[in-house]
Amino acid sequence: MTHVEQQSACERLLDFAYGELDEAEAQKFRAHLEECGKCRAELASIERVRGAVKVALPALEPPASTSGALHAQLLHAAAQRRPAPRGKLLVFARKVMQHPAYAAAAMFLLVGGAVGIEWSRGRLLMPEHQLAQSVESAQPAEAKPATPEVPTPPKEAENRPTAASDPLVGSAPMQAAVPAAEPPVGGTAQSARGTEGGGYLEKATRKGDVAESDKKSSTRYYLGAQGNGLPMEVKPTPARHAAAHRASARYDRGGGDGLGGLPSMDDGRAQSAPFATAPAAAPAPPPAPSTRPSSVDGLMDSSEGKAEKTQLAQPRERREAKDANSAVAVPRAAVATKSPTPDSLRKRAVEAANANRCDEAVRLFDELERDHPRYHISARDRAGYVRCLRQSGREQQALDELNSIAPTTDHAAKNHAPPPAQRSAAPAEPQAASEAEPAQSKKKSGKKAAEPAKTSAPSY
Amino acid sequence: MFRYRDGDVRAFELLVTRHRKAVYNFIVRFVRDPAQAEDVLQETFLRIVKSADAYEKQAKFTTWMYTIARNLCVDASRRGKHRKAASLDAPVNGEADAPALIERVADAGATVDRQAIGRQMAERMQQAIAELPDEQREIFLLREVNDLQFNEIAEIVGCPENTVKSRMRYALEKLREALEEYRDLAQAAP
């Protein structure tokens, strides 16, 4: 055995003395002990000390007088301890359940978060008016019937007086003049729009739902663009029915479908109630000149649809307060800021006249003249107006219009510079006038107007 | 210990019953004060109760338990540095006619002379152990009294195993020197 090996073997003396070597290593060390006297002497010394220590340090028993009490205290403390639940989620849940404040805070966060999410998604707001959306999209032949899923309106609407719910009625004397009548239930969708009131009231019924709606004794009127654009369910009191029919009849007189000649209402689904079927047959006074802008048709413009959206984006309480306070004032304000441009009115009127929708054309021309008296209407457009007046049986008014064509044209030539399109069409303008009143038109329109009249034939 | 951690109080009672005596012997030899040893013993098991949730199977339970006891003993030893340690020869519980601690274990077969020599030798050994430095004494006690292996002791005191063995050799050497004077007497005694 080398010196190094012997030295490493001597270092294992302590392990051998305390029995920490396994059997093989212990056997090796015993072999080393036979050779190493130093390790033998030291091992003997350690064994003597350990023997003496066993005598000097006997195993002591804890004092019996206190061990019982200590033992009881320890067991009590051990019993007080509860095993910790496993998992962080369980620990958190236990903390929450053990403290009422935590539970209340958690409930508040839960409910508040849910309400906040719903509010941010806009689900707490009442839905937008579907008709307004359809008109805004300006897709023809898509007059959507009113869907029955429209949520129930606030109760303030039910308690609202009839005049308030119908801004078209206008003044109270007019209400009194019109007798109460049941609304017509025929047709697919009936729309009524008030020109003077600056709004429209739409009553939507379905063919198959007539009997059902009668059973429920409830009719839904949709307060459209003149108000807040929210659907409103109104109980069918006789006064309300009468108001609805007054509005319907008025617009039927004026133009037909009540949508101002919009192509979306020209299809078979959306037709205005026939004028003859309107029960409100009382002679309505001519449209009184109103100080407020009353062309409701312009509300269907895209820009106004955006404005309506903006109005819908207001908090619900504010909109309800507006409804409750004044159902008329809101449409007025809305219309006052959203009156259609005279150009749009003129274009629609001309389109209606060209399409032989004479009632609508007359209504629009009347509206244009009333709201924009200084606006120049070309003689050609005015000829269409005259034709429609004659077809409507208003001969006297047609005659007056014919008389006014020539001065208007002169005035336009002097003060207004008509657009190039109108200038190019100017030679054809006096056609209708020359045909209707040849003598007068020759006097007033001059040579330029008289020459084309020889080549063109009257269309009416 | 795992059973107690999961809520079995009977398991803790079993632990106390099994380890109470050994821990007490270590503590009482370390702090050399029976009253203080009882407090430290109580505190040791209370610490075990409080730390039961944090107990993991990283070492033997005895190692963990003696680590707690040793730390408490070190703290108590520091606090009572200048306090006079109770002698193992003092009467138990302060009673005048009560036997001393050293007399609790008596050799029934020994003669009076051997008992006297053994008594003197034990006193000397106790004195020599008490005079050992704390770091040597705790290792010596854990090895001799509690029969822990060197690697466990190293884990308890937080030092390498070779350091533990080195300290153990120093302690044994000092005790051997203290024992030398009684070797002749022990050999001469009948």
Side-chain angles (χ1 to χ4, degrees), chain A residues 199-210:
Chain A
Y200 71 92
L201 186 69
E202 179 189 61
K203 177 202 169 196
T205 57
R206 288 183 174 181
K207 280 183 178 178
D209 296 337
V210 172

Side-chain angles (χ1 to χ4, degrees), chain A residues 11 15 18 20 45 50 53 56-61 63 66-67 70-71 73-74 78 81 86, chain B residues 4-6 20-21 25 29 38 42 45 53 102 105 126 129 140 143-144 149-150 165 168-169 176:
Chain A
E11 288 178 354
D15 293 329
Y18 284 94
E20 294 192 9
S45 171
R50 294 193 68 188
V53 167
L57 301 178
L60 301 178
E61 287 289 336
T66 58
S67 62
L70 292 177
H71 193 70
Q73 288 180 5
L74 283 175
R81 172 191 162 272
R86 299 299 173 87
Chain B
Y4 171 65
R5 191 186 64 179
D6 294 337
R20 180 167 148 263
K21 183 178 178 181
N25 275 273
R29 306 292 181 189
E38 291 179 19
Q42 180 84 354
F45 283 106
D53 294 333
I102 197 64
V105 180
Q126 289 172 9
I129 293 171
F140 178 80
R143 176 67 260 192
E144 287 290 339
Q149 294 186 351
F150 289 117
K165 290 178 181 176
M168 186 68 187
R169 284 196 193 94
R176 187 187 61 79

Side-chain angles (χ1 to χ4, degrees), chain A residues 139-143 255-272 351-352 355 357 360:
Chain A
Q139 292 181 355
E142 279 204 17
D257 59 10
L259 283 178
L262 280 181
S264 62
M265 301 303 288
D266 286 339
D267 60 347
R269 288 186 299 161
Q271 291 180 354
S272 64
E351 287 176 0
R357 298 196 305 267
E360 180 186 352

Side-chain angles (χ1 to χ4, degrees), chain A residues 131-142 262-264 300-302:
Chain A
L131 182 60
Q133 287 180 346
S134 64
V135 172
E136 181 184 356
S137 62
Q139 292 181 355
E142 279 204 17
L262 280 181
S264 62
M300 293 298 113
D301 291 346
S302 60

Side-chain angles (χ1 to χ4, degrees), chain A residues 395-408:
Chain A
E395 290 290 338
Q396 183 58 40
Q397 194 174 352
L399 196 62
D400 295 339
E401 284 295 325
L402 283 174
N403 292 333
S404 65
I405 283 178
T408 305

Side-chain angles (χ1 to χ4, degrees), chain B residues 31-32 36 73-85:
Chain B
V31 300
R32 292 170 292 172
Q36 194 175 10
C73 287
V74 171
D75 293 342
S77 178
R78 288 173 183 166
R79 284 197 303 266
K81 199 76 177 181
H82 305 289
R83 198 165 52 188
K84 185 180 179 181

